[in-house]
Amino acid sequence: MKAVVYKGPNDVSVEDVPDAKIEHPADVLVRITSTNICGSDLHMYEGRTSFEPGRTFGHENLGEVVETGPAVSKVKVGDRVVLPFNIACGFCKNCDRGFTNYCLTMQPEPKLAGAAYGFADMGPYQGGQAEYLRVPYGDFNCLRLGEDSVEKELDYVMVADIFPTGWHATELAGVYPGDSVVIYGAGPVGLMAAYSAIIKGAGKVMVVDRHSDRLKLAEQIGAISVDDSEVDPVEFVKDQTMGFGADRGCECVGYQAHDPGGNEQPNLTLNRLVDSVRFVGGLGVVGVFLPQDPGAPDKLAQQGQVAFDYGNYWFKGQTMGSGQCPVKKYNRALRDLIAGGKASPSFLVSHELPLDQAPEGYKNFDTREDGWTKVVLHPAG
Ligand code: NAD
Ligand code: ZN
């Protein structure tokens, strides 16, 4: 089968790889019809992780079930399903408590927790930027879609990761109706956090970035755009909130934060987040920070350390939540918001490409070329 294969830093190609197949009685085999390129793929694409050359990316997947193992009873051949990016068993200590993001069974390395398709340090699983994908524990890891699944495919594929992740950022921050919310990053995750805050009834949502195409999308959904190459975002947010700072803040950039001049500053958004949120406000950090970053500019950052102003955070009595999103906690509700016509996250899709054009998609999404907000690949054409 054809798949997007990582070759080395900033290099992917579409190649023939061994067919995905049922390997365990509880597996399901899915023919992929939509699979997104994610900001998280870029950490690996840029060579900042231990992701092995020859492996396939792709953790935001939707498709049709074509085969089920003998231990699968609920999911049937022909079902159209969207797959949480987390691969989880459903019965370990963490899954049992809803933390499918830190499943202990699917992660073979005892010092780690959590598994995902096509992801560094998250188990040996292949990604779905391919014609077919093996889904372990298929009954648990497939979310079935209804009759509108083809018509709304671009909406539903966002339920694999970025819509729940944006929602999770607002849950971690504790967004409540009427709240003022600041969001750092107007990439797909930041836009989904803004969209989630708006759905939850936030009074004012401010989105910080410096790419005008992405900021325009933030305005399109009813948020206030803040271009940090033109204004100081902390001052801007304070001006908008009677000097107090926003009630809640979401970090949707991660350790690849840059200043508007293009210099990498992994701590910039975290410290600005604390600065621009009020005393006792809530912070949700879903932007990725890794324990190791071989591609970072200095030694500390290579060890995953950022200069976080903990004193300011403590002094303000804020609370912070962080980490991977447990997609299964939200995916049914978000699917049903889409089905009910209450949400349409596909507004951020800028490009739909056949699998063969994945290298172009990666290059332009990585360099944040104007207008390349979210790329969806269609392996089945
Ligand atoms: P992206 O790279 O497309 O978007 C990041 C955005 O941040 C870009 O628009 C960039 O211009 C902006 N940015 C950079 N520096 C900034 C700064 N100093 N201030 C404000 N904005 C700044 O990526 P994405 O797909 O939106 O993902 C964002 C982050 O979320 C990544 O770190 C990704 O790995 C992470 N992520 C986490 C989870 C999770 O489960 N926690 C899931 C998906 C993605
Ligand atoms: Zn993703």
Side-chain angles (χ1 to χ4, degrees):
M1 66 173 186
K2 273 189 183 173
V4 177
V5 172
Y6 175 63
K7 306 296 283 181
N10 304 307
D11 188 10
V12 291
S13 70
V14 178
E15 296 181 0
D16 279 318
V17 302
D19 287 347
K21 57 180 194 310
I22 302 277
E23 293 176 19
H24 180 276
D27 287 352
V28 156
L29 192 66
V30 174
R31 186 176 67 92
I32 299 296
T33 55
S34 287
T35 174
N36 302 334
I37 302 178
C38 176
S40 298
D41 290 321
L42 302 181
H43 309 310
M44 299 175 283
Y45 175 73
E46 291 175 7
R48 303 174 72 125
T49 69
S50 58
F51 197 78
E52 308 88 343
R55 253 182 97 187
T56 295
F57 289 139
H59 59 270
E60 302 190 2
N61 305 308
L62 181 152
E64 181 182 333
V65 174
V66 291
E67 195 181 339
T68 59
V72 174
S73 59
K74 187 185 75 175
V75 173
K76 305 276 182 254
V77 169
D79 282 350
R80 299 251 304 150
V81 293
V82 62
L83 307 163
F85 78 83
N86 328 101
I87 310 174
C89 68
F91 52 75
C92 71
K93 187 174 182 180
N94 288 350
C95 283
D96 203 36
R97 295 172 185 184
F99 296 112
T100 53
N101 44 344
Y102 296 108
C103 174
L104 299 167
T105 310
M106 305 312 297
Q107 170 57 262
E109 168 59 60
K111 279 186 284 185
L112 301 174
Y117 304 99
F119 222 98
D121 295 327
M122 295 187 72
Y125 312 97
Q126 292 292 356
Q129 290 169 12
E131 289 178 281
Y132 295 91
L133 179 69
R134 171 193 166 227
V135 178
Y137 293 105
D139 277 336
F140 190 69
N141 288 309
C142 292
L143 179 69
R144 285 183 290 179
L145 300 171
E147 282 176 1
D148 59 356
S149 74
V150 173
E151 179 200 335
K152 293 187 175 177
E153 177 148 349
L154 289 184
D155 289 316
Y156 286 125
V157 70
M158 302 309 157
V159 174
D161 179 350
I162 57 167
F163 194 12
T165 295
W167 192 273
H168 187 52
T170 66
E171 288 284 303
L172 292 173
V175 173
Y176 197 79
D179 278 347
S180 52
V181 185
V182 57
I183 290 165
Y184 284 89
V189 172
L191 288 169
M192 285 294 103
Y195 196 51
S196 301
I198 288 165
I199 292 173
K200 290 179 172 185
K204 186 177 272 192
V205 178
M206 296 157 277
V207 179
V208 185
D209 204 301
R210 68 286 305 252
H211 290 289
S212 59
D213 55 332
R214 295 176 173 212
L215 289 171
K216 255 187 219 134
L217 286 172
E219 286 177 5
Q220 194 181 303
I221 56 169
I224 298 170
S225 65
V226 188
D227 184 336
D228 77 341
S229 64
E230 285 175 5
V231 296
D232 177 334
V234 176
E235 292 309 316
F236 183 93
V237 171
K238 286 194 170 157
D239 283 349
Q240 290 279 326
T241 52
M242 296 190 297
F244 293 118
D247 296 311
R248 315 282 163 194
C250 299
E251 204 285 353
C252 304
V253 181
Y255 69 157
Q256 288 167 306
H258 286 70
D259 63 24
N263 303 306
E264 201 162 290
Q265 283 201 45
N267 63 348
L268 184 63
T269 46
L270 276 183
N271 287 337
R272 282 183 165 173
L273 185 73
V274 173
D275 268 345
S276 53
V277 170
R278 68 175 166 86
F279 282 70
V280 303
L283 315 176
V285 180
V286 292
V288 161
F289 290 82
L290 292 175
Q292 264 136 34
D293 175 11
D298 61 63
K299 262 219 159 99
L300 268 186
Q302 283 164 20
Q303 292 161 16
Q305 299 191 19
V306 295
F308 177 56
D309 187 352
Y310 186 77
N312 198 22
Y313 166 73
W314 185 92
F315 187 65
K316 293 180 91 169
Q318 296 171 338
T319 46
M320 182 192 284
S322 63
Q324 303 269 352
C325 171
V327 171
K328 272 187 78 82
K329 196 168 168 189
Y330 314 110
N331 63 356
R332 279 170 206 277
L334 299 184
R335 174 196 66 184
D336 295 345
L337 278 179
I338 294 169
K342 305 289 188 213
S344 183
S346 61
F347 72 85
L348 49 68
V349 175
S350 58
H351 292 79
E352 292 182 74
L353 303 177
L355 202 64
D356 285 343
Q357 287 175 31
E360 185 192 342
Y362 268 93
K363 187 168 153 288
N364 291 323
F365 183 58
D366 184 51
T367 49
R368 305 202 171 83
E369 288 306 307
D370 198 31
W372 285 76
T373 328
K374 185 74 178 171
V375 182
V376 183
L377 304 171
H378 296 299

